[in-house]
Amino acid sequence: MKATSAVLALVAATLAVAALNAQVDERPIPQIVKKDGRYALFVDGAPYLMLGAQVHNSSSWPAEASKVWPAMEYLQVNTVEMPVYWEQIEPQPGNFDFSMVDSLLAAAREHKVHLVLLWFATWKNGSQHYMPEWMKRDLVRYPHMVGRDGEAVDSPSPHSAASLEADKTAFTAFMTHLKEADPQRTVLMIQVENEAGAWGSVRDFSPAAQKLFDAPVPPELLTAMQVKAASASATWQQAFGPNADEYFQAWSVARFIGQVAAAGKAAYPLPMYANAALRDPIHPGPAGLPGAPGAYESGGPTDNVLDIWKTAAPALDVLAPDDYQNDPVTYLKVLDLYHRDGNPMFIPETGGPANARFFFTALGLQTIGFSPFGLDYTHRAASRSLNQADPNRPKEEFLEPWAMNYRLIGPMQREIARLNFDGKLQAVAEEQGRPTRTLPFGSWDAIVSFGAARNNRGAGNPQPAGRALVAQLGDNQFLVAGYFCRVDFRPAGTEEQRKTAAIVEGTQQNPSALIDGKWQHRQFLRVEEGAYDNGVFKPIRIWNGDETDWGLDFGDEPIVLRVSVATY
Ligand code: DGJ
């Protein structure tokens, strides 16, 4: 009897594993797909939008990681970015310990979220602080950069063949392990290094680096940069003049990281990206010189060297900005610069509660993900300091501006990702001085206004917190959602009329347009408030009367509308 049940249990277990494998085997590896100039991250074969958050630098340790989840749950993220530390993974040369990776995988699965893992290795914020101790102690084999004055800099040399080999070997071992350990595809993407580049010197001035600097620029880079150098063997100085030092550093760092990424991808081809410590794109200071106004890290994928990075590191799918800019104009300029052909939009780090609304701007640029940084830490630190100042102030206050975004988008995340990939979606966030925005959708314009009172078109909210998205579901049907805004629709004529006829916009109670001498006025046929459930929109109630007489108003509640319009 006992033997029979043991056999049955074994058979059941074998079948369960086989079933799991069959199920798991079907899961495609996440990949970035391009269509009609737009990008999407495909997960389980369909577009996916990473509603992310990045934990603080030391929060991946198992004991610490357990504390990040309350904040992640409050935020309603679907993806958590967590670092993995080279010093922890390879404590002795060639001895790998992936227990930490496994514990992150288990925790993420338990909390039903995906992961983006951050390979903190040769570079972390421009330094080599996460290199294993045995490397840090061997400065000859694994050298630092050398500054112009001959002094060592707190940054790894991108010209060290031994460091490159060690990083490639460790990264390949990590990716090989991940491939084995994650048939479920819990991990969606890998960040290779972190904010690579250097503070303290514009480039490496070591003898090895100087030799390369005085040698001809690689021809593929001259082509990519469209430099017509006097000779095909132009040196860096001859080809790039005042930018030579910085471009050389960018090339050297990108070549190094590109090779690490390629080695890892050969083991397991997950999408990979590098993140940038930005320069101020409007008023940049000098590269690599801390202390100077506007100074920035030299050699990372800053906006001025994206072409260099694309040429030097083709294994990277994305060059992504860590957008912490305080000034909204600068913040948006960054998005604009990284939203370019050949580079999917992704914001792996951002901060500042006032910037939370720019999730919508990023959505409008088909971002594959958005991820505020360090909220688990803020959550705890804030609760500590706040408890002294005001014990009644809820600690969630710090999470709320970000949580609002995901609370609204989360239930329809796959539909939003698909509509965006299909080019059906537009989204905007409020900008000071732009209280009204027009989003063209063929024969309709969606008009978004911020701070609109009854019969006026909006003067801006007291704090610019408005956000709106509109997606076209059919010729005359739209999905509309947002916060602190009003959305309405105005007839925009046919394509032919837009080319040939003078269209005059009316400002009557209902948005109207004089098209080919005939007034066309918007009427709402049906405005349904509802929610997506398994990909199907389920109406909850119909808006009419006061709810629609002045347009569709959104406050601080997560509201989704399906709107059918017509003219009269
Ligand atoms: C950007 C880095 O990439 C993060 O790891 C972290 O250091 C944040 N800056 C700010 O703390």
Side-chain angles (χ1 to χ4, degrees), residues 207-344:
Q210 191 60 41
K211 204 167 156 203
L212 290 168
F213 185 74
D214 292 332
V217 175
E220 67 269 35
L221 183 62
L222 290 178
T223 309
M225 300 294 280
Q226 298 175 341
V227 171
K228 294 207 177 20
S231 113
S233 59
T235 65
W236 288 83
Q237 194 63 56
Q238 288 163 344
F240 299 120
N243 295 320
D245 289 330
E246 186 183 357
Y247 286 10
F248 174 72
Q249 170 77 357
W251 174 263
S252 308
V253 174
R255 285 278 291 175
F256 187 119
I257 296 177
Q259 290 175 76
V260 174
K265 266 195 168 173
Y268 183 27
L270 280 180
M272 295 191 185
Y273 72 98
N275 62 329
L278 300 177
R279 63 176 204 155
D280 180 328
I282 301 170
H283 306 291
L289 293 177
Y296 60 97
E297 216 184 294
S298 181
T302 48
D303 69 87
N304 54 328
V305 295
L306 292 176
D307 287 326
I308 298 178
W309 271 76
K310 286 286 173 190
T311 311
L316 294 172
D317 303 274
V318 185
L319 302 176
D322 289 351
D323 203 344
Y324 290 94
Q325 305 293 322
N326 289 323
D327 167 45
V329 174
T330 316
Y331 191 102
L332 294 173
K333 179 76 181 168
V334 168
L335 298 189
D336 191 40
L337 287 167
Y338 283 78
H339 178 246
R340 46 177 258 165
D341 194 33
N343 195 48

Side-chain angles (χ1 to χ4, degrees), residues 54-57 118 120 124-125 191 194-195 275 277 322 324 349 373:
Q54 183 171 143
V55 303
H56 213 269
N57 291 167
L118 320 175
F120 279 15
K124 160 70 174 84
N125 291 24
Q191 179 185 292
N194 187 83
E195 293 196 347
N275 62 329
D322 289 351
Y324 290 94
E349 289 184 41
F373 174 83

